[in-house]
Amino acid sequence: MEPDVQELLENLVVTSSQERELITRAYTYAQNAHKGHQRESGLPYFTHLVETAKNLARLGADAQTIAAGLLHDTIEDTDVTADDIRREFGDDVLFLVEGVTKLGKLKYRGLKRHVETLRKLFVATAEDVRVILIKLADRLHNLRSIKALSPDRQKRIAQETLEIYAPIAHRLGIGQLKGELEDLSFEILHPREYKETLRIRNEKHAQTLSDLGHVTEEIRAMLTKADIDVISIDHRIKHLYSLHKKLRDRDMNIDEVYDVAALRVIVPTLEDCYLTLGLIHSVWKPLPGRIKDYIAMPKGNGYQSLHTTIFTGTGTIIEIQVRTKEMHAIAELGVASHVSYKEKKSTSVEEIQGLRTLIDLPTSHGWLQELAREQKETKHTTSFMQGLKRDFFKERIIVFTPRGEVVDLPEHATPIDFAYAIHTDLGNHASGARVNGTFVALSTKLKHGDIVLIETKESARPSSKWLRWVKTANARRKIRTMLGLTDDTTVKPE
Ligand code: MN
């Protein structure tokens, strides 16, 4: 077996022969489809697909997601058609590959006012968390191999990563990936600050490293004595971009950043977490105001842990995070940790179609129930998903112009709202609308993802009926102006 394939299979949570076969087949299929293609670096294009799939495997993605990672550029870049993928790999893999292809068409123009909309659109377009994972894994490899591109393109890609991809990774709770995406982009966009932050961190870290070792040993001995199993104790060093932001807020004084290095203690149960924290506080004095119970009160992206910051007694201060294995998986992988534990037999697109369906049916959906059962932390899972709903979809819809530009509108908005959102004249002379290629009435309620084209006539004018159809204050105001209505004139219903 190819060593690459071997590596892809190693991380699978569920490894049936079917899944091994799927990945192996996708590997060979992509290799053939991209035969002769090169990246700008001169390397075979196929290396990009293998690296993307490896990133996914590391995140704990399931076999279908890994297969889709291998195939993600086939429809866009080769002769392979959607029908080919469906026939060879089924509806689910096709759904993922098409999702990634759609995401590739979203245009990033670097306009500050579009950033938030574009993030929402990205998630809405993806429809499924797994599509986002593939796109993030794809971007991670593109950044790692970015040196072959011109400086201008490098900067554009890095900027887009910082403004769109990293915040989404953060929102989905994929901390590790977010940190890597940010640091790679940071180096490209601000090389001087990057080097300076690296220098400061290294200096500080040399100092704390010996303390970390000694505290680790002491905690281990203490827990063993108290009969608490230690699953692992390790430490993480703060990523450079987030350190840079903290340093900026603290006059570049690293002694005021307490979590440059954090010890992570993984214990079996929730009770063990609290016992461990108590034991730690019985030995080291905690810094006031730095004890945080994210188990009782998880962060918005689902993160759970107990945090404390202690004086080691030798002049240094370190942060300690205590959590269970499950909490650790969520901290590192976010939604990916849910995805990988997803039950295998529910393979219809409807059943596992992620985010949007999930959000629309928060209590009755099979996938969510599985999560609830497997996580045994129903409360946290539900609030996490509700958080996503609130942030991304709260009473807003996102529609496109035929050129792929994004218009963010309230629910139940009509083509008239759309027209006025683009330009006053477009609204004032709107005579008809096409939605997804079909003529519709101007009173039609638009839906998420609609492509809207406004027909105009020089002679067309707003009518008072429009005031009943519009949802946006902007459109209402402009129609009233055109109708010659002052603010206190009410329009009589017809
Ligand atoms: Mn790609």
mmCIF file of all heavy atoms in Angstrom, residues 88-131:
data_model
loop_
_atom_site.group_PDB
_atom_site.id
_atom_site.type_symbol
_atom_site.label_atom_id
_atom_site.label_comp_id
_atom_site.label_asym_id
_atom_site.label_seq_id
_atom_site.Cartn_x
_atom_site.Cartn_y
_atom_site.Cartn_z
ATOM 1 N N GLU A 88 -19.153 6.945 -9.227
ATOM 2 C CA GLU A 88 -18.013 6.278 -8.591
ATOM 3 C C GLU A 88 -18.074 6.301 -7.061
ATOM 4 O O GLU A 88 -17.636 5.371 -6.401
ATOM 5 C CB GLU A 88 -16.700 6.946 -9.024
ATOM 6 C CG GLU A 88 -16.370 6.818 -10.501
ATOM 7 C CD GLU A 88 -15.947 5.400 -10.871
ATOM 8 O OE1 GLU A 88 -15.356 4.709 -10.013
ATOM 9 O OE2 GLU A 88 -16.229 4.990 -12.008
ATOM 10 N N PHE A 89 -18.565 7.419 -6.513
ATOM 11 C CA PHE A 89 -18.420 7.609 -5.062
ATOM 12 C C PHE A 89 -19.726 7.899 -4.329
ATOM 13 O O PHE A 89 -19.730 8.021 -3.113
ATOM 14 C CB PHE A 89 -17.414 8.725 -4.779
ATOM 15 C CG PHE A 89 -16.056 8.442 -5.350
ATOM 16 C CD1 PHE A 89 -15.657 9.023 -6.551
ATOM 17 C CD2 PHE A 89 -15.193 7.565 -4.719
ATOM 18 C CE1 PHE A 89 -14.411 8.743 -7.093
ATOM 19 C CE2 PHE A 89 -13.949 7.284 -5.248
ATOM 20 C CZ PHE A 89 -13.554 7.861 -6.446
ATOM 21 N N GLY A 90 -20.816 8.057 -5.059
ATOM 22 C CA GLY A 90 -22.102 8.249 -4.397
ATOM 23 C C GLY A 90 -22.458 9.706 -4.168
ATOM 24 O O GLY A 90 -21.644 10.611 -4.337
ATOM 25 N N ASP A 91 -23.715 9.905 -3.756
ATOM 26 C CA ASP A 91 -24.272 11.250 -3.591
ATOM 27 C C ASP A 91 -23.562 12.060 -2.514
ATOM 28 O O ASP A 91 -23.404 13.265 -2.637
ATOM 29 C CB ASP A 91 -25.753 11.144 -3.204
ATOM 30 C CG ASP A 91 -26.616 10.844 -4.411
ATOM 31 O OD1 ASP A 91 -26.178 11.171 -5.533
ATOM 32 O OD2 ASP A 91 -27.720 10.287 -4.230
ATOM 33 N N ASP A 92 -23.178 11.385 -1.457
ATOM 34 C CA ASP A 92 -22.639 12.119 -0.329
ATOM 35 C C ASP A 92 -21.296 12.763 -0.671
ATOM 36 O O ASP A 92 -21.060 13.946 -0.392
ATOM 37 C CB ASP A 92 -22.507 11.172 0.867
ATOM 38 C CG ASP A 92 -22.417 11.931 2.170
ATOM 39 O OD1 ASP A 92 -23.043 13.017 2.258
ATOM 40 O OD2 ASP A 92 -21.719 11.472 3.076
ATOM 41 N N VAL A 93 -20.419 11.976 -1.287
ATOM 42 C CA VAL A 93 -19.112 12.522 -1.678
ATOM 43 C C VAL A 93 -19.303 13.616 -2.733
ATOM 44 O O VAL A 93 -18.668 14.668 -2.683
ATOM 45 C CB VAL A 93 -18.168 11.406 -2.183
ATOM 46 C CG1 VAL A 93 -16.907 11.997 -2.782
ATOM 47 C CG2 VAL A 93 -17.811 10.456 -1.040
ATOM 48 N N LEU A 94 -20.241 13.392 -3.655
ATOM 49 C CA LEU A 94 -20.513 14.413 -4.665
ATOM 50 C C LEU A 94 -20.982 15.713 -4.012
ATOM 51 O O LEU A 94 -20.528 16.795 -4.373
ATOM 52 C CB LEU A 94 -21.581 13.931 -5.658
ATOM 53 C CG LEU A 94 -22.036 14.997 -6.658
ATOM 54 C CD1 LEU A 94 -20.887 15.432 -7.563
ATOM 55 C CD2 LEU A 94 -23.217 14.512 -7.492
ATOM 56 N N PHE A 95 -21.871 15.577 -3.037
ATOM 57 C CA PHE A 95 -22.367 16.755 -2.320
ATOM 58 C C PHE A 95 -21.203 17.565 -1.730
ATOM 59 O O PHE A 95 -21.152 18.794 -1.829
ATOM 60 C CB PHE A 95 -23.329 16.291 -1.217
ATOM 61 C CG PHE A 95 -23.734 17.364 -0.265
ATOM 62 C CD1 PHE A 95 -24.668 18.321 -0.635
ATOM 63 C CD2 PHE A 95 -23.179 17.420 1.008
ATOM 64 C CE1 PHE A 95 -25.043 19.324 0.254
ATOM 65 C CE2 PHE A 95 -23.545 18.419 1.900
ATOM 66 C CZ PHE A 95 -24.480 19.369 1.517
ATOM 67 N N LEU A 96 -20.238 16.868 -1.147
ATOM 68 C CA LEU A 96 -19.088 17.543 -0.533
ATOM 69 C C LEU A 96 -18.209 18.208 -1.587
ATOM 70 O O LEU A 96 -17.799 19.357 -1.447
ATOM 71 C CB LEU A 96 -18.268 16.543 0.292
ATOM 72 C CG LEU A 96 -18.992 15.918 1.496
ATOM 73 C CD1 LEU A 96 -18.121 14.856 2.158
ATOM 74 C CD2 LEU A 96 -19.367 16.984 2.511
ATOM 75 N N VAL A 97 -17.927 17.473 -2.667
ATOM 76 C CA VAL A 97 -17.053 18.026 -3.712
ATOM 77 C C VAL A 97 -17.711 19.248 -4.353
ATOM 78 O O VAL A 97 -17.065 20.285 -4.573
ATOM 79 C CB VAL A 97 -16.733 16.952 -4.781
ATOM 80 C CG1 VAL A 97 -15.966 17.565 -5.946
ATOM 81 C CG2 VAL A 97 -15.927 15.812 -4.171
ATOM 82 N N GLU A 98 -19.008 19.147 -4.601
ATOM 83 C CA GLU A 98 -19.704 20.290 -5.201
ATOM 84 C C GLU A 98 -19.749 21.481 -4.249
ATOM 85 O O GLU A 98 -19.654 22.631 -4.671
ATOM 86 C CB GLU A 98 -21.125 19.891 -5.624
ATOM 87 C CG GLU A 98 -21.109 19.045 -6.891
ATOM 88 C CD GLU A 98 -22.497 18.880 -7.502
ATOM 89 O OE1 GLU A 98 -23.442 18.614 -6.733
ATOM 90 O OE2 GLU A 98 -22.611 19.001 -8.733
ATOM 91 N N GLY A 99 -19.879 21.183 -2.972
ATOM 92 C CA GLY A 99 -19.869 22.251 -1.972
ATOM 93 C C GLY A 99 -18.555 23.014 -2.011
ATOM 94 O O GLY A 99 -18.528 24.251 -2.003
ATOM 95 N N VAL A 100 -17.449 22.288 -2.070
ATOM 96 C CA VAL A 100 -16.131 22.926 -2.116
ATOM 97 C C VAL A 100 -15.992 23.735 -3.414
ATOM 98 O O VAL A 100 -15.450 24.843 -3.420
ATOM 99 C CB VAL A 100 -15.002 21.875 -2.010
ATOM 100 C CG1 VAL A 100 -13.640 22.530 -2.127
ATOM 101 C CG2 VAL A 100 -15.114 21.123 -0.692
ATOM 102 N N THR A 101 -16.489 23.178 -4.507
ATOM 103 C CA THR A 101 -16.418 23.881 -5.791
ATOM 104 C C THR A 101 -17.191 25.200 -5.721
ATOM 105 O O THR A 101 -16.716 26.237 -6.175
ATOM 106 C CB THR A 101 -16.981 22.980 -6.916
ATOM 107 O OG1 THR A 101 -16.339 21.702 -6.837
ATOM 108 C CG2 THR A 101 -16.733 23.587 -8.287
ATOM 109 N N LYS A 102 -18.378 25.154 -5.120
ATOM 110 C CA LYS A 102 -19.184 26.379 -4.956
ATOM 111 C C LYS A 102 -18.443 27.426 -4.131
ATOM 112 O O LYS A 102 -18.414 28.601 -4.465
ATOM 113 C CB LYS A 102 -20.498 26.046 -4.217
ATOM 114 C CG LYS A 102 -21.690 25.829 -5.131
ATOM 115 C CD LYS A 102 -22.984 25.873 -4.328
ATOM 116 C CE LYS A 102 -23.278 24.526 -3.677
ATOM 117 N NZ LYS A 102 -24.436 24.509 -2.772
ATOM 118 N N LEU A 103 -17.831 26.965 -3.050
ATOM 119 C CA LEU A 103 -17.110 27.898 -2.186
ATOM 120 C C LEU A 103 -15.968 28.568 -2.931
ATOM 121 O O LEU A 103 -15.648 29.728 -2.699
ATOM 122 C CB LEU A 103 -16.546 27.178 -0.959
ATOM 123 C CG LEU A 103 -17.514 26.892 0.175
ATOM 124 C CD1 LEU A 103 -16.764 26.305 1.356
ATOM 125 C CD2 LEU A 103 -18.217 28.167 0.611
ATOM 126 N N GLY A 104 -15.361 27.819 -3.848
ATOM 127 C CA GLY A 104 -14.253 28.358 -4.626
ATOM 128 C C GLY A 104 -14.678 29.519 -5.514
ATOM 129 O O GLY A 104 -13.850 30.313 -5.948
ATOM 130 N N LYS A 105 -15.969 29.633 -5.748
ATOM 131 C CA LYS A 105 -16.448 30.686 -6.642
ATOM 132 C C LYS A 105 -16.783 31.988 -5.911
ATOM 133 O O LYS A 105 -17.038 33.013 -6.536
ATOM 134 C CB LYS A 105 -17.692 30.185 -7.383
ATOM 135 C CG LYS A 105 -17.378 28.987 -8.276
ATOM 136 C CD LYS A 105 -18.368 28.880 -9.429
ATOM 137 C CE LYS A 105 -17.797 28.057 -10.558
ATOM 138 N NZ LYS A 105 -18.030 26.607 -10.408
ATOM 139 N N LEU A 106 -16.809 31.944 -4.591
ATOM 140 C CA LEU A 106 -17.090 33.171 -3.842
ATOM 141 C C LEU A 106 -15.934 34.132 -4.026
ATOM 142 O O LEU A 106 -14.781 33.759 -3.930
ATOM 143 C CB LEU A 106 -17.248 32.876 -2.350
ATOM 144 C CG LEU A 106 -18.442 32.024 -1.954
ATOM 145 C CD1 LEU A 106 -18.504 31.933 -0.437
ATOM 146 C CD2 LEU A 106 -19.716 32.629 -2.501
ATOM 147 N N LYS A 107 -16.273 35.374 -4.284
ATOM 148 C CA LYS A 107 -15.219 36.339 -4.562
ATOM 149 C C LYS A 107 -14.884 37.165 -3.333
ATOM 150 O O LYS A 107 -15.767 37.693 -2.679
ATOM 151 C CB LYS A 107 -15.654 37.265 -5.693
ATOM 152 C CG LYS A 107 -15.875 36.513 -6.973
ATOM 153 C CD LYS A 107 -15.901 37.480 -8.152
ATOM 154 C CE LYS A 107 -16.192 36.734 -9.429
ATOM 155 N NZ LYS A 107 -17.617 36.359 -9.523
ATOM 156 N N TYR A 108 -13.612 37.250 -3.062
ATOM 157 C CA TYR A 108 -13.144 38.085 -1.968
ATOM 158 C C TYR A 108 -12.497 39.327 -2.571
ATOM 159 O O TYR A 108 -11.588 39.231 -3.357
ATOM 160 C CB TYR A 108 -12.120 37.314 -1.138
ATOM 161 C CG TYR A 108 -11.401 38.138 -0.107
ATOM 162 C CD1 TYR A 108 -12.047 38.535 1.049
ATOM 163 C CD2 TYR A 108 -10.091 38.540 -0.308
ATOM 164 C CE1 TYR A 108 -11.397 39.311 2.000
ATOM 165 C CE2 TYR A 108 -9.429 39.313 0.632
ATOM 166 C CZ TYR A 108 -10.087 39.684 1.788
ATOM 167 O OH TYR A 108 -9.434 40.442 2.714
ATOM 168 N N ARG A 109 -13.038 40.486 -2.230
ATOM 169 C CA ARG A 109 -12.494 41.703 -2.824
ATOM 170 C C ARG A 109 -11.725 42.554 -1.825
ATOM 171 O O ARG A 109 -11.342 43.670 -2.126
ATOM 172 C CB ARG A 109 -13.615 42.536 -3.425
ATOM 173 C CG ARG A 109 -14.341 41.832 -4.533
ATOM 174 C CD ARG A 109 -15.414 42.740 -5.104
ATOM 175 N NE ARG A 109 -16.468 41.972 -5.728
ATOM 176 C CZ ARG A 109 -16.366 41.370 -6.903
ATOM 177 N NH1 ARG A 109 -15.237 41.455 -7.577
ATOM 178 N NH2 ARG A 109 -17.357 40.684 -7.396
ATOM 179 N N GLY A 110 -11.573 42.024 -0.630
ATOM 180 C CA GLY A 110 -10.805 42.764 0.361
ATOM 181 C C GLY A 110 -11.511 44.006 0.877
ATOM 182 O O GLY A 110 -10.894 44.888 1.458
ATOM 183 N N LEU A 111 -12.823 44.097 0.648
ATOM 184 C CA LEU A 111 -13.551 45.263 1.148
ATOM 185 C C LEU A 111 -13.972 45.015 2.590
ATOM 186 O O LEU A 111 -14.647 44.043 2.880
ATOM 187 C CB LEU A 111 -14.805 45.513 0.301
ATOM 188 C CG LEU A 111 -14.554 45.910 -1.149
ATOM 189 C CD1 LEU A 111 -15.871 46.003 -1.908
ATOM 190 C CD2 LEU A 111 -13.814 47.239 -1.212
ATOM 191 N N LYS A 112 -13.561 45.909 3.452
ATOM 192 C CA LYS A 112 -13.825 45.735 4.876
ATOM 193 C C LYS A 112 -15.313 45.517 5.159
ATOM 194 O O LYS A 112 -15.691 44.677 5.946
ATOM 195 C CB LYS A 112 -13.335 46.958 5.668
ATOM 196 C CG LYS A 112 -11.841 46.936 5.909
ATOM 197 C CD LYS A 112 -11.456 46.137 7.163
ATOM 198 C CE LYS A 112 -9.958 46.076 7.370
ATOM 199 N NZ LYS A 112 -9.316 44.950 6.673
ATOM 200 N N ARG A 113 -16.166 46.282 4.469
ATOM 201 C CA ARG A 113 -17.585 46.200 4.812
ATOM 202 C C ARG A 113 -18.211 44.888 4.352
ATOM 203 O O ARG A 113 -19.311 44.549 4.730
ATOM 204 C CB ARG A 113 -18.352 47.402 4.239
ATOM 205 C CG ARG A 113 -18.442 47.411 2.733
ATOM 206 C CD ARG A 113 -18.893 48.768 2.228
ATOM 207 N NE ARG A 113 -18.642 48.877 0.806
ATOM 208 C CZ ARG A 113 -19.520 48.514 -0.123
ATOM 209 N NH1 ARG A 113 -20.681 48.040 0.223
ATOM 210 N NH2 ARG A 113 -19.215 48.647 -1.404
ATOM 211 N N HIS A 114 -17.494 44.156 3.504
ATOM 212 C CA HIS A 114 -18.033 42.880 3.046
ATOM 213 C C HIS A 114 -17.588 41.690 3.875
ATOM 214 O O HIS A 114 -18.095 40.597 3.713
ATOM 215 C CB HIS A 114 -17.606 42.622 1.591
ATOM 216 C CG HIS A 114 -18.431 43.382 0.615
ATOM 217 N ND1 HIS A 114 -18.057 43.562 -0.690
ATOM 218 C CD2 HIS A 114 -19.613 44.008 0.764
ATOM 219 C CE1 HIS A 114 -18.972 44.291 -1.311
ATOM 220 N NE2 HIS A 114 -19.929 44.559 -0.445
ATOM 221 N N VAL A 115 -16.621 41.927 4.744
ATOM 222 C CA VAL A 115 -15.985 40.799 5.414
ATOM 223 C C VAL A 115 -16.980 39.956 6.203
ATOM 224 O O VAL A 115 -17.047 38.746 6.045
ATOM 225 C CB VAL A 115 -14.829 41.284 6.317
ATOM 226 C CG1 VAL A 115 -14.432 40.233 7.317
ATOM 227 C CG2 VAL A 115 -13.623 41.644 5.450
ATOM 228 N N GLU A 116 -17.797 40.616 7.021
ATOM 229 C CA GLU A 116 -18.736 39.877 7.862
ATOM 230 C C GLU A 116 -19.747 39.119 6.991
ATOM 231 O O GLU A 116 -20.063 37.955 7.241
ATOM 232 C CB GLU A 116 -19.441 40.843 8.822
ATOM 233 C CG GLU A 116 -20.310 40.168 9.869
ATOM 234 C CD GLU A 116 -19.594 39.036 10.614
ATOM 235 O OE1 GLU A 116 -18.402 39.192 10.929
ATOM 236 O OE2 GLU A 116 -20.234 37.992 10.863
ATOM 237 N N THR A 117 -20.214 39.799 5.958
ATOM 238 C CA THR A 117 -21.170 39.161 5.060
ATOM 239 C C THR A 117 -20.556 37.949 4.383
ATOM 240 O O THR A 117 -21.183 36.910 4.243
ATOM 241 C CB THR A 117 -21.601 40.163 3.972
ATOM 242 O OG1 THR A 117 -22.023 41.346 4.617
ATOM 243 C CG2 THR A 117 -22.732 39.608 3.144
ATOM 244 N N LEU A 118 -19.312 38.132 3.973
ATOM 245 C CA LEU A 118 -18.656 37.041 3.260
ATOM 246 C C LEU A 118 -18.465 35.816 4.166
ATOM 247 O O LEU A 118 -18.624 34.685 3.726
ATOM 248 C CB LEU A 118 -17.312 37.529 2.722
ATOM 249 C CG LEU A 118 -16.770 36.787 1.507
ATOM 250 C CD1 LEU A 118 -17.776 36.742 0.380
ATOM 251 C CD2 LEU A 118 -15.490 37.450 1.011
ATOM 252 N N ARG A 119 -18.161 36.075 5.426
ATOM 253 C CA ARG A 119 -18.047 34.962 6.376
ATOM 254 C C ARG A 119 -19.359 34.208 6.476
ATOM 255 O O ARG A 119 -19.403 32.989 6.442
ATOM 256 C CB ARG A 119 -17.699 35.491 7.768
ATOM 257 C CG ARG A 119 -16.247 35.717 7.982
ATOM 258 C CD ARG A 119 -16.024 36.171 9.408
ATOM 259 N NE ARG A 119 -14.953 37.134 9.439
ATOM 260 C CZ ARG A 119 -14.916 38.216 10.204
ATOM 261 N NH1 ARG A 119 -15.903 38.484 11.026
ATOM 262 N NH2 ARG A 119 -13.896 39.020 10.153
ATOM 263 N N LYS A 120 -20.439 34.956 6.611
ATOM 264 C CA LYS A 120 -21.761 34.323 6.715
ATOM 265 C C LYS A 120 -22.068 33.555 5.445
ATOM 266 O O LYS A 120 -22.570 32.436 5.471
ATOM 267 C CB LYS A 120 -22.849 35.385 6.898
ATOM 268 C CG LYS A 120 -22.861 36.013 8.256
ATOM 269 C CD LYS A 120 -23.988 37.036 8.295
ATOM 270 C CE LYS A 120 -23.818 37.969 9.479
ATOM 271 N NZ LYS A 120 -24.528 39.223 9.266
ATOM 272 N N LEU A 121 -21.771 34.197 4.341
ATOM 273 C CA LEU A 121 -22.064 33.580 3.059
ATOM 274 C C LEU A 121 -21.287 32.281 2.886
ATOM 275 O O LEU A 121 -21.790 31.289 2.387
ATOM 276 C CB LEU A 121 -21.673 34.556 1.944
ATOM 277 C CG LEU A 121 -21.905 33.997 0.560
ATOM 278 C CD1 LEU A 121 -23.391 33.830 0.315
ATOM 279 C CD2 LEU A 121 -21.303 34.900 -0.477
ATOM 280 N N PHE A 122 -20.053 32.324 3.327
ATOM 281 C CA PHE A 122 -19.184 31.160 3.248
ATOM 282 C C PHE A 122 -19.843 29.977 3.955
ATOM 283 O O PHE A 122 -19.956 28.883 3.415
ATOM 284 C CB PHE A 122 -17.860 31.534 3.927
ATOM 285 C CG PHE A 122 -16.761 30.534 3.742
ATOM 286 C CD1 PHE A 122 -15.845 30.690 2.715
ATOM 287 C CD2 PHE A 122 -16.615 29.465 4.606
ATOM 288 C CE1 PHE A 122 -14.815 29.789 2.552
ATOM 289 C CE2 PHE A 122 -15.588 28.553 4.455
ATOM 290 C CZ PHE A 122 -14.679 28.722 3.422
ATOM 291 N N VAL A 123 -20.315 30.242 5.156
ATOM 292 C CA VAL A 123 -20.938 29.172 5.935
ATOM 293 C C VAL A 123 -22.267 28.748 5.308
ATOM 294 O O VAL A 123 -22.563 27.561 5.189
ATOM 295 C CB VAL A 123 -21.142 29.617 7.392
ATOM 296 C CG1 VAL A 123 -21.923 28.571 8.171
ATOM 297 C CG2 VAL A 123 -19.799 29.873 8.046
ATOM 298 N N ALA A 124 -23.049 29.737 4.865
ATOM 299 C CA ALA A 124 -24.349 29.426 4.279
ATOM 300 C C ALA A 124 -24.186 28.617 2.999
ATOM 301 O O ALA A 124 -24.927 27.669 2.742
ATOM 302 C CB ALA A 124 -25.110 30.710 4.001
ATOM 303 N N THR A 125 -23.212 28.979 2.196
ATOM 304 C CA THR A 125 -22.983 28.297 0.929
ATOM 305 C C THR A 125 -22.502 26.871 1.157
ATOM 306 O O THR A 125 -22.880 25.949 0.444
ATOM 307 C CB THR A 125 -21.936 29.058 0.091
ATOM 308 O OG1 THR A 125 -22.354 30.409 -0.022
ATOM 309 C CG2 THR A 125 -21.798 28.466 -1.296
ATOM 310 N N ALA A 126 -21.670 26.718 2.170
ATOM 311 C CA ALA A 126 -21.107 25.396 2.439
ATOM 312 C C ALA A 126 -22.194 24.394 2.803
ATOM 313 O O ALA A 126 -22.119 23.229 2.414
ATOM 314 C CB ALA A 126 -20.086 25.487 3.566
ATOM 315 N N GLU A 127 -23.196 24.849 3.535
ATOM 316 C CA GLU A 127 -24.325 24.014 3.956
ATOM 317 C C GLU A 127 -23.960 22.896 4.906
ATOM 318 O O GLU A 127 -24.807 22.336 5.564
ATOM 319 C CB GLU A 127 -25.058 23.379 2.759
ATOM 320 C CG GLU A 127 -25.834 24.356 1.936
ATOM 321 C CD GLU A 127 -26.677 23.655 0.901
ATOM 322 O OE1 GLU A 127 -27.681 23.032 1.274
ATOM 323 O OE2 GLU A 127 -26.315 23.726 -0.286
ATOM 324 N N ASP A 128 -22.721 22.507 4.936
ATOM 325 C CA ASP A 128 -22.329 21.347 5.719
ATOM 326 C C ASP A 128 -20.960 21.625 6.326
ATOM 327 O O ASP A 128 -20.049 22.093 5.635
ATOM 328 C CB ASP A 128 -22.253 20.128 4.793
ATOM 329 C CG ASP A 128 -22.051 18.831 5.550
ATOM 330 O OD1 ASP A 128 -21.140 18.783 6.401
ATOM 331 O OD2 ASP A 128 -22.776 17.873 5.280
ATOM 332 N N VAL A 129 -20.834 21.337 7.594
ATOM 333 C CA VAL A 129 -19.574 21.590 8.285
ATOM 334 C C VAL A 129 -18.404 20.908 7.580
ATOM 335 O O VAL A 129 -17.303 21.432 7.526
ATOM 336 C CB VAL A 129 -19.664 21.076 9.740
ATOM 337 C CG1 VAL A 129 -18.343 21.245 10.447
ATOM 338 C CG2 VAL A 129 -20.745 21.808 10.495
ATOM 339 N N ARG A 130 -18.669 19.718 7.011
ATOM 340 C CA ARG A 130 -17.576 18.979 6.385
ATOM 341 C C ARG A 130 -17.029 19.712 5.157
ATOM 342 O O ARG A 130 -15.842 19.638 4.862
ATOM 343 C CB ARG A 130 -18.046 17.576 6.016
ATOM 344 C CG ARG A 130 -18.410 16.745 7.260
ATOM 345 C CD ARG A 130 -19.099 15.452 6.879
ATOM 346 N NE ARG A 130 -20.300 15.717 6.097
ATOM 347 C CZ ARG A 130 -20.934 14.790 5.370
ATOM 348 N NH1 ARG A 130 -20.467 13.562 5.316
ATOM 349 N NH2 ARG A 130 -22.016 15.112 4.704
ATOM 350 N N VAL A 131 -17.905 20.432 4.461
ATOM 351 C CA VAL A 131 -17.442 21.213 3.306
ATOM 352 C C VAL A 131 -16.479 22.305 3.786
ATOM 353 O O VAL A 131 -15.436 22.555 3.171
ATOM 354 C CB VAL A 131 -18.646 21.825 2.553
ATOM 355 C CG1 VAL A 131 -18.173 22.796 1.483
ATOM 356 C CG2 VAL A 131 -19.510 20.727 1.940
#
